[in-house]
């Protein structure tokens, strides 16, 4: 009996192992992908393990991101003595494998009569271009996705017992998720919504548990924000108001969903309708199950999270300015949304008693296999590209073979001590040389621009291949300051300003 209990998870274990090696394969050529965020995480992790300090590569406290992901990397670095960028491939392979294993383990509990469905879902997760992109980079989403799956499993445990201990586990996971990504508050919202809909709780117990959930889950986040305010005067860094309306953000979310479903680009014109239909349908299903008293199930937890997280990102993008809604921002809802949109299929097929169910089952399997085939083609193309050039970002060949980067590495002594270095990519200067530099100001912050132009002596390191329209550029600077060209290569240049204006 005990052996058969574990044998039923063999397929999950096989999927877990495959997931591990797929991520490892994608990052085998040039290592884990490195973006500016990655350098921020990795440098903070190094300072945490070496000095127990939350300082980033540019000498400022970590504020724009929560502390737990760098802390997690710092702990691994302390144990292994390997820096996060070097160890990133193995770390991400383990995190992806863990997310797959937990998903398969959960599905074994709520889909007991449709093993083929379980296999198809696990294959869809393993082959997902969206998830493989995330786990190819040193990003906090890699850990946050795992925390989301742990939360879903823990909350279902709470739904069965409604005990203080099960609630405490939910609170701990949600609290850690909140200091992994600020979007972790969606876990609190998900749990609170489900508690309100749960007719197995008395009014008094609902109020008590919601209060425990609310105060307990935000405790670490509040501490993080207070620390940020104490260090810099800003709780989450400088945030600009949004310039995109709700309708546009709903459209962007819809394009992501269409892309996840492997629809042709021509489907993007219906993206807003696709997103609206998905959210309205999931809300209606959740409401119907609440009215029927059938809220205590895995399916409802994944539906609630998909709705809360998706709407949170769309609303946040409507009020606060950050990168356009994309697959990375929405990736934590990929697995829950996949389960939410498909978990009803086995139950419906089971309800059909005539032979037509075999026809419908066949159609469903063909559609899922078609999705898996389409995503496999995307994965193979991406794998071929990354075997030729590396994972996009600072670890690809455009940077590894850059003449300007090679020059910077071997000519660090050209900069006079005490003279500030400004650049359009301070994270690149740190990654390739270990030197600290300052990012040129954003053109929208007029006071910062004025302070920059008041500096009397500095070096300017210009990466010609980069183009950040939000930063003042070389042409803006040359209109005010007379720059002396020191070195000029095809992909970068170094200038010195000694106080002479135009």
């Amino acid at each position: 009996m005990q052996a058969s209990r574990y044998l039923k998870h063999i397929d999950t274990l096989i999927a877990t192992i495959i997931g591990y090696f797929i991520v490892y394969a994608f990052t085998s050529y040039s290592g884990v992908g490195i973006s500016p965020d990655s350098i921020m995480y990795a440098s903070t992790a190094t300072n945490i393990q070496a000095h127990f300090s939350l300082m980033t590569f540019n000498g400022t406290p970590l504020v724009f991101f929560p502390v737990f992901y760098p802390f997690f990397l710092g702990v691994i670095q302390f144990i292994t003595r390997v820096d996060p960028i070097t160890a990133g491939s193995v770390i991400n392979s383990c995190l992806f494998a863990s997310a797959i294993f937990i998903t398969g383990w959960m599905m074994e509990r709520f889909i007991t009569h449709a093993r083929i469905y379980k296999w198809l879902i696990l294959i869809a997760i393993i082959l997902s271009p969206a998830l493989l992109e995330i786990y190819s980079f040193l990003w906090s989403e890699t850990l946050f996705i795992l925390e989301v799956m742990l939360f879903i499993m823990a909350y279902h445990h709470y739904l069965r017992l409604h005990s203080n201990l099960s609630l405490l586990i939910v609170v701990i996971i949600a609290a850690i998720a909140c200091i992994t990504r600020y979007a972790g508050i969606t876990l609190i919202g998900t749990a609170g919504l489900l508690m309100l809909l749960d007719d197995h709780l008395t009014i008094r117990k609902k109020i008590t548990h919601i209060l425990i959930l609310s105060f307990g889950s935000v405790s670490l986040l509040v501490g993080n924000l207070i620390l940020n305010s104490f260090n810099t005067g800003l709780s989450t860094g400088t945030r600009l108001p949004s310039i995109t309306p709700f309708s546009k953000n709903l459209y962007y979310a819809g394009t992501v969903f269409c892309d996840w479903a492997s629809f042709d680009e021509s489907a993007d014109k219906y993206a807003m309708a696709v997103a609206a239909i998905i959210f309205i349908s999931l809300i209606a299903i959740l409401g119907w199950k609440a009215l029927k008293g059938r809220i205590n199930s895995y399916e409802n937890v994944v539906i609630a999270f998909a709705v809360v997280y998706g709407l949170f990102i769309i609303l946040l993008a409507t009020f606060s300015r950050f990168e356009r809604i994309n697959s990375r921002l929405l990736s934590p809802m990929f697995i829950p949304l996949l389960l939410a949109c498909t978990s009803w299929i086995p139950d419906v097929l089971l309800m059909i008693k005539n032979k037509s169910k075999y026809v419908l089952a066949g159609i469903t399997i063909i559609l899922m296999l078609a999705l898996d085939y389409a995503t496999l083609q995307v994965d193979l193309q991406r794998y071929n590209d990354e075997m030729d050039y590396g994972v996009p970002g600072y670890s690809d060949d455009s940077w590894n073979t850059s003449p300007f980067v090679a020059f910077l590495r071997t000519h660090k002594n050209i900069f006079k001590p005490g003279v500030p270095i400004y650049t359009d990519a301070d994270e690149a200067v740190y990654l390739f040389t270990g030197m600290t530099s300052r990012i040129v100001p954003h053109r929208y912050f007029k006071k910062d621009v004025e302070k920059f132009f008041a500096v009397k002596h500095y070096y300017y390191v210009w990466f010609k291949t980069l183009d950040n329209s939000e930063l003042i550029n070389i042409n803006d600077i040359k209109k005010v300051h007379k720059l002396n060209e020191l070195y000029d290569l095809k992909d970068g240049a170094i200038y010195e300003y000694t106080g002479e204006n135009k």
Side-chain angles (χ1 to χ4, degrees), residues 3-44:
S4 63
R5 177 185 175 186
Y6 293 103
L7 284 174
K8 67 182 181 180
H9 295 293
I10 289 295
D11 51 0
T12 298
L13 182 60
I14 293 173
T16 298
I17 295 171
I18 293 173
Y20 176 93
F21 283 106
I22 284 182
V23 171
Y24 193 81
F26 269 96
T27 55
S28 61
Y29 176 79
S30 61
V32 70
I34 305 299
S35 72
D37 294 357
S38 308
I39 300 171
M40 190 78 74
Y41 296 134
S43 61
T44 307

Side-chain angles (χ1 to χ4, degrees), residues 107-368:
M107 290 178 65
E108 195 63 47
R109 282 159 169 72
F110 72 88
I111 303 293
T112 58
H113 52 277
R115 189 158 296 274
I116 293 178
Y117 167 78
K118 176 186 175 183
W119 296 344
L120 292 172
I121 293 297
L122 290 177
I123 292 172
I125 293 171
I126 291 171
L127 296 179
S128 165
L131 294 182
L132 290 179
E133 178 191 16
I134 295 300
Y135 284 94
S136 294
F137 281 85
L138 197 69
W139 286 339
S140 60
E141 286 88 352
T142 57
L143 179 60
F144 185 68
I145 290 170
L146 175 61
E147 292 167 349
V148 168
M149 302 315 298
L150 287 171
F151 166 83
I152 293 171
M153 185 168 64
Y155 196 83
H156 180 260
H157 181 66
Y158 165 78
L159 285 175
R160 289 193 300 110
L161 302 178
H162 292 110
S163 65
N164 291 333
L165 178 59
S166 61
L167 175 61
L168 179 62
I169 295 172
V170 170
V171 168
I172 291 173
I173 295 173
I176 293 174
C178 284
I179 56 170
T180 302
R181 291 192 64 79
Y182 291 130
I185 62 173
T186 55
L187 298 184
I188 304 174
T190 300
L193 173 63
L194 289 171
M195 285 181 184
L196 289 174
L197 298 176
D198 194 343
D199 60 357
H200 291 80
L201 290 172
T202 63
I203 297 297
R204 181 177 181 179
K205 200 168 187 178
K206 276 187 184 182
I207 294 173
T208 302
H209 283 199
I210 288 175
L211 289 175
I212 293 173
L213 170 75
S214 302
F215 287 102
S217 298
V218 301
S219 57
L220 297 180
L221 177 60
V222 170
N224 194 165
L225 296 180
I226 291 173
L227 180 63
N228 291 346
S229 297
F230 179 78
N231 287 332
T232 66
L234 299 169
S235 59
T236 60
T238 304
R239 307 276 177 165
L240 293 172
S242 175
I243 58 174
T244 53
F246 177 84
S247 59
K248 198 70 174 177
N249 289 316
L250 185 65
Y251 167 80
Y252 291 144
T255 61
V256 173
F257 298 153
C258 290
D259 185 54
W260 286 354
S262 296
F263 292 160
D264 187 80
E265 289 185 2
S266 60
D268 285 354
K269 59 186 176 182
Y270 306 110
M272 189 185 299
V274 169
I277 290 171
I278 287 175
F279 285 120
I280 292 172
S281 299
L282 293 180
I283 292 171
I285 292 172
L286 193 64
W288 180 79
K289 289 192 174 184
L291 289 175
K292 295 294 184 178
R294 297 167 54 188
I295 205 68
N296 295 9
S297 68
Y298 271 118
E299 297 95 318
N300 295 323
V301 183
V302 297
I303 290 173
F305 176 77
V307 169
V308 172
Y309 184 86
L311 292 179
F312 171 81
I313 294 296
I314 292 172
L315 289 171
L316 183 63
T318 303
F319 295 103
S320 180
R321 185 175 181 181
F322 48 87
E323 62 182 310
R324 199 190 86 173
I325 289 179
N326 53 33
S327 182
R328 178 188 174 185
L329 287 173
L330 293 176
S331 60
M333 69 180 291
F334 177 86
I335 298 177
L337 184 63
L338 179 64
L339 295 174
C341 292
T342 61
S343 60
W344 55 271
I345 295 175
D347 291 334
V348 171
L349 292 175
L350 191 65
M351 292 169 56
I352 300 174
K353 300 303 181 181
N354 55 45
K355 293 183 179 180
S356 63
K357 72 176 180 179
Y358 298 108
V359 176
L360 294 175
I363 294 173
T364 301
I365 292 173
I366 291 172
L367 290 175
M368 287 295 296

Side-chain angles (χ1 to χ4, degrees), residues 43-56 59-62 70:
S43 61
T44 307
T46 297
N47 283 325
I48 288 174
Q49 72 88 26
H51 313 293
F52 208 72
S53 165
L54 292 175
M55 303 299 287
T56 64
T60 59
L62 180 73

